[in-house]
Amino acid sequence: MFIWKKEFELGIKSIDEQHKCLLDLGNRINELLVNHDDDDDNYDEIYEVIEELRAYTVYHFNTEEELFLKYNYPEYHAHKKEHDDFVAFLKSVNPEDIDENQKGFLKKLLAQIVQWVFKHIITTDYMYKDYLLRIGMK
Ligand SMILES: [Fe+2]
Ligand SMILES: [Fe+2]
């Protein structure tokens, strides 16, 4: 179970809300994992939540990148590269792996997502916070 912490907050409302949605998706994957028995076949649910995560992540990254362009954020390219690499990782998730070892697959995926998302928020996203707040974003 992932809990929103004050340190994740950038103080930019629209972005904080999207980060919370990403956290909720992480929690949904976690729930699937906790409630999954070895003989269960949750392929459809797992696939669905991964697709949702993929779509929401792309949407969120676009929101940030549009803000960067709009306000001439100088680290746009480096930041976008991190986004692009993560989307490439999500696209590389192979549905066949879900089928063979559902629990192991979910565990590994969740660990990778959580590690990446939180690290990105508290390091890379945090870097644009002051810049955007200074020019009046809320
Ligand atoms: Fe973000
Ligand atoms: Fe970002």
Side-chain angles (χ1 to χ4, degrees):
M1 169 87 180
F2 309 110
I3 303 189
W4 181 258
K5 289 189 208 148
K6 195 84 193 147
E7 63 192 273
F8 299 144
E9 215 160 281
L10 301 187
I12 301 164
K13 211 167 162 247
S14 56
I15 299 293
D16 286 333
E17 271 164 16
Q18 291 187 3
H19 285 160
K20 280 179 189 161
C21 287
L22 283 172
L23 191 102
D24 287 344
L25 279 165
N27 277 324
R28 274 181 49 204
I29 298 179
N30 193 39
E31 257 165 52
L32 276 178
L33 188 59
V34 171
N35 298 323
H36 181 96
D37 291 325
D38 283 340
D39 348 318
D40 284 353
D41 182 6
N42 289 351
Y43 179 85
D44 291 344
E45 276 169 281
I46 295 171
Y47 194 77
E48 204 177 293
V49 77
I50 290 169
E51 279 305 307
E52 212 174 308
L53 175 75
R54 199 170 1 219
Y56 196 80
T57 303
V58 170
Y59 164 74
H60 169 62
F61 289 169
N62 283 338
T63 306
E64 287 188 349
E65 288 162 20
E66 275 167 22
L67 281 177
F68 299 162
L69 286 176
K70 189 171 172 196
Y71 296 106
N72 293 314
Y73 180 52
E75 298 302 322
Y76 170 80
H77 290 288
H79 198 127
K80 187 178 186 317
K81 166 119 185 33
E82 276 196 32
H83 287 170
D84 290 349
D85 288 348
F86 189 63
V87 172
F89 160 72
L90 287 176
K91 278 187 184 151
S92 75
V93 171
N94 184 353
E96 277 172 23
D97 295 339
I98 307 176
D99 231 2
E100 277 165 24
N101 177 8
Q102 294 190 350
K103 194 157 190 165
F105 175 85
L106 269 188
K107 240 188 196 161
K108 196 168 148 230
L109 181 70
L110 188 66
Q112 283 168 311
I113 290 169
V114 168
Q115 197 192 27
W116 192 93
V117 169
F118 294 120
K119 189 169 162 267
H120 182 81
I121 293 175
I122 59 172
T123 57
T124 314
D125 281 353
Y126 225 78
M127 283 161 62
Y128 71 66
K129 165 186 181 312
D130 289 342
Y131 183 85
L132 290 183
L133 288 175
R134 217 180 307 130
I135 49 172
M137 284 274 327
K138 281 187 189 123

